[in-house]
Amino acid sequence: FLSEEEGQSLVKEVSKRMKRRRFEDGHWDSVISKYREIELATPHEVDNESTIDAPQYAQTIQRTRDILKSYVSPQLTNHMKWLPCHAIDLSKNGRLDAHVDSVKFSGEIVAGISLLSDSIMRLRPAKGEWIDDASDESSGGYVDLYLPKLSLYCLHGMSRFHYSHELLPSDSVYQISGREDVQVTRGRRLSIIFRDALVTSKDA
């Protein structure tokens, strides 16, 4: 999805902002471990600066948002607002377990750009307070997504609300029907996460 140059501009900006951050052993919800995280607000979001002369990393974020917007129904597009991106730096030995992103604060889309390392994301039918009882996490079914570095994934609709997502450990195998299996070695992984704000009846 990204060119090498666009990817490098994001890595450079995130590295600069994360310089003094240490890797954390865990998060309050126990979903992620051995990671660092920052909010990656663009100059336009902070100072309402024009996007025309924005630095390359900010232009890349805006281009990605414009593409992601096409996944949202036209009725919601006019009311759609983006939350500031988050950058998550997951160490080689870090873990991201199965979860559904909170529906109390974010809306229709959870998306991410993968940097530095390839990985496999697994989606499983989820069950919890965020959805009805139609889904069943004990069904055993799952869908794997191969995420090479510089790629973009987007969870929307059923995959956003009815499936949990997680990252598989390094050296997991991605199986492609009719083709050779791919063993994916996951090193340090940097991801840029995109979420839209929850639209309430008041906003609409």
Side-chain angles (χ1 to χ4, degrees):
F1 174 70
L2 297 188
S3 66
E4 287 285 352
E5 185 180 358
E6 288 174 317
Q8 288 171 8
S9 72
L10 282 168
V11 171
K12 183 178 179 181
E13 181 64 24
V14 171
S15 298
K16 182 173 66 176
R17 298 194 193 192
M18 277 193 181
K19 194 173 182 180
R20 300 183 184 278
R21 296 259 179 169
R22 294 183 177 180
F23 283 91
E24 299 181 33
D25 289 331
H27 191 257
W28 62 269
D29 58 10
S30 302
V31 164
I32 189 171
S33 66
K34 297 181 180 177
Y35 76 104
R36 302 185 293 178
E37 183 175 6
I38 59 166
E39 186 175 276
L40 188 60
T42 64
H44 176 70
E45 290 169 315
V46 175
D47 300 318
N48 202 30
E49 291 185 12
S50 169
T51 57
I52 297 174
D53 297 320
Q56 186 175 23
Y57 83 90
Q59 292 182 35
T60 300
I61 287 174
Q62 186 57 49
R63 179 173 76 85
T64 305
R65 286 172 170 168
D66 289 342
I67 291 171
L68 291 172
K69 238 180 177 182
S70 66
Y71 288 91
V72 178
S73 63
Q75 295 91 332
L76 293 177
T77 301
N78 292 336
H79 306 285
M80 190 174 182
K81 294 180 181 177
W82 291 101
L83 299 172
C85 287
H86 275 229
I88 300 175
D89 187 357
L90 189 67
S91 74
K92 181 180 179 180
N93 299 316
R95 194 187 77 244
L96 181 66
D97 293 336
H99 67 287
V100 175
D101 282 42
S102 173
V103 298
K104 295 179 181 177
F105 306 107
S106 56
E108 300 289 320
I109 287 176
V110 174
I113 290 174
S114 300
L115 300 168
L116 299 182
S117 178
D118 302 344
S119 59
I120 301 173
M121 176 174 283
R122 177 161 291 177
L123 308 184
R124 301 177 188 269
K127 188 175 181 180
E129 62 179 2
W130 51 83
I131 58 175
D132 57 33
D133 291 333
S135 296
D136 182 5
E137 59 189 356
S138 65
S139 65
Y142 62 85
V143 176
D144 284 347
L145 306 179
Y146 175 45
L147 306 179
K149 61 181 180 180
L150 303 178
S151 66
L152 171 70
Y153 71 86
C154 177
L155 305 180
H156 172 64
M158 183 173 285
S159 63
R160 160 71 174 101
F161 297 106
H162 292 265
Y163 282 74
S164 66
H165 58 280
E166 63 191 286
L167 287 182
L168 298 188
S170 184
D171 297 322
S172 295
V173 174
Y174 179 69
Q175 297 178 318
I176 310 172
S177 179
R179 295 174 61 183
E180 249 185 73
D181 294 347
V182 179
Q183 184 171 334
V184 179
T185 301
R186 197 195 83 204
R188 176 187 164 207
R189 178 178 186 266
L190 182 63
S191 55
I192 311 300
I193 305 301
F194 296 77
R195 300 183 184 94
D196 61 314
L198 182 65
V199 176
T200 64
S201 55
K202 182 180 177 182
D203 298 323

